[in-house]
Amino acid sequence: MSNYLKKLIVKPDSKIRLKHFDPGYHGKHESHKSALPEIEENRQKMQELQYLMYAENKHSLLIVLQGLDAGGKDGVVRHVLTGMNPSGCVSVNFKQPTPEDLAHDFLWRVHPHVPGKGSVAIFNRSHYEDVLVARVHGLVPEKVWSKRYDQINDFEQLIATENNTTILKFFLHISKEEQLARFKKRLDDPARQWKISESDYKERDYWGDYIEAFEDVLTKTSTKHTPWFIIPSNHKWFSNLSISQIIARTMEEMDMKMPQPTVNLAEIRREYHQAADEKSNRSD
């Protein structure tokens, strides 16, 4: 079994050029059917480990999903992360900032959604939009967005050390041809047409600019404690497989333990048996 935790990680100080990464890579599996048993095994592990995380209440997990339009972010949330209990897991989608957001620093709107101990948060798009869209469309000057890489690193280091939060960041890497094919499926499928945006094809004109922006993000913000993973995503099932494996293995490495009871079990058992005996006597 391939170890995608090691294979797909962006090592710190790497100089990333996405043309060197094949978005069509799919490992040893040739189809969704072949990969499905492994995906389901990973889902089961995640479910068990999330319960343990919730019970132990010492760790938290932040999952960041980024990618170009139609990269499959929503699908990852739906297919992979539905194995988690929603009482301990929340998905947040950072869209265009509001006027109130813009009146503060760019991380102001992000911090309230960072997971507390015992919980998991999924950022479907994230604070990285402020060095992607903001850069590509010139929403702020270069002297502003160029400082944000270090600010993001400091922010992530803060929550990793102060709140014992493990951060996993996934870039869903698709080809320009695959993106167009997915746009066509949206046009042809009434169940997907709601996803169509007027900006879909306009944004394709900035493909090269977005690739350069993502390359800088991957190069400058993949650290030892908050790594990026480049996920080949032309095959959606491979995204589900690799991401679910990375999450499950990372959670296993947290070495979480079920907490000890906080009550006197002998006393609780005595009270239970007393109540059971009283019920039995009333029945007689």
Side-chain angles (χ1 to χ4, degrees), residues 32-152:
H32 180 217
K33 182 178 179 180
S34 170
L36 188 56
E38 195 174 332
I39 294 173
E40 292 300 331
E41 180 182 353
N42 294 335
R43 279 177 176 163
Q44 183 62 34
K45 286 182 182 178
M46 286 192 298
Q47 186 176 44
E48 294 169 357
L49 290 163
Q50 187 209 6
Y51 179 79
L52 187 57
M53 177 183 287
Y54 182 80
E56 187 190 46
N57 200 37
K58 292 182 179 180
H59 297 263
S60 58
L61 176 63
L62 173 59
I63 299 166
V64 174
L65 301 175
Q66 289 285 165
L68 289 151
D69 291 339
K73 297 178 292 296
D74 292 342
V76 170
V77 174
R78 184 171 61 252
H79 289 291
V80 177
L81 304 179
T82 48
M84 294 191 177
N85 188 324
S87 65
C89 181
V90 62
S91 178
V92 184
N93 190 339
F94 291 95
K95 298 183 178 180
Q96 289 186 356
T98 66
E100 185 177 14
D101 294 332
L102 293 172
H104 296 80
D105 66 90
F106 77 102
L107 292 169
W108 177 82
R109 65 174 180 156
V110 179
H111 211 153
H113 301 285
V114 169
K117 289 183 174 67
S119 63
V120 179
I122 307 154
F123 285 1
N124 183 354
R125 297 188 187 271
S126 67
H127 43 298
Y128 283 96
E129 294 294 290
D130 289 290
V131 286
L132 293 167
V133 176
R135 166 179 169 170
V136 170
H137 289 286
L139 303 181
V140 294
E142 181 176 354
K143 66 179 181 180
V144 173
W145 60 253
S146 62
K147 296 178 182 178
R148 289 178 173 175
Y149 302 108
D150 288 339
Q151 292 165 349
I152 287 172

Side-chain angles (χ1 to χ4, degrees), residues 132-278:
L132 293 167
V133 176
R135 166 179 169 170
V136 170
H137 289 286
L139 303 181
V140 294
E142 181 176 354
K143 66 179 181 180
V144 173
W145 60 253
S146 62
K147 296 178 182 178
R148 289 178 173 175
Y149 302 108
D150 288 339
Q151 292 165 349
I152 287 172
N153 287 338
D154 290 342
F155 170 70
E156 292 178 349
Q157 181 69 11
L158 171 69
I159 60 177
T161 55
E162 292 295 317
N163 202 49
N164 207 17
T165 300
T166 297
I167 304 174
L168 297 175
K169 302 179 293 192
F170 300 103
F171 170 62
L172 277 59
H173 182 32
I174 62 170
S175 65
K176 196 173 185 180
E177 295 74 21
E178 176 63 20
Q179 184 193 60
L180 189 61
R182 293 182 184 182
F183 283 170
K184 183 178 186 304
K185 287 181 180 179
R186 289 180 181 180
L187 282 171
D188 297 340
D189 184 356
R192 301 184 187 186
Q193 288 174 355
W194 66 272
K195 289 188 172 185
I196 297 173
S197 167
E198 291 183 357
S199 67
D200 287 346
Y201 297 93
K202 294 178 182 177
E203 288 293 276
R204 279 175 62 84
D205 293 338
Y206 298 95
W207 182 275
D209 295 326
Y210 274 112
I211 293 297
E212 288 182 9
F214 272 113
E215 288 174 342
D216 279 351
V217 163
L218 297 166
T219 296
K220 296 180 180 182
T221 64
S222 192
T223 69
K224 179 180 178 181
H225 298 291
T226 62
W228 276 100
F229 298 85
I230 298 176
I231 306 297
S233 299
N234 277 6
H235 301 283
K236 292 182 179 180
W237 55 263
F238 182 76
S239 300
N240 296 338
L241 170 64
S242 54
I243 291 176
S244 64
Q245 185 200 95
I246 291 168
I247 294 172
R249 292 193 177 188
T250 299
M251 294 179 79
E252 286 176 328
E253 291 177 358
M254 293 179 188
D255 194 29
M256 295 177 288
K257 299 287 191 299
M258 188 62 69
Q260 294 298 311
T262 58
V263 298
N264 186 326
L265 291 182
E267 179 62 21
I268 296 297
R269 286 194 180 97
R270 187 192 65 76
E271 293 177 0
Y272 164 77
H273 288 301
Q274 180 179 340
D277 289 342
E278 290 174 356

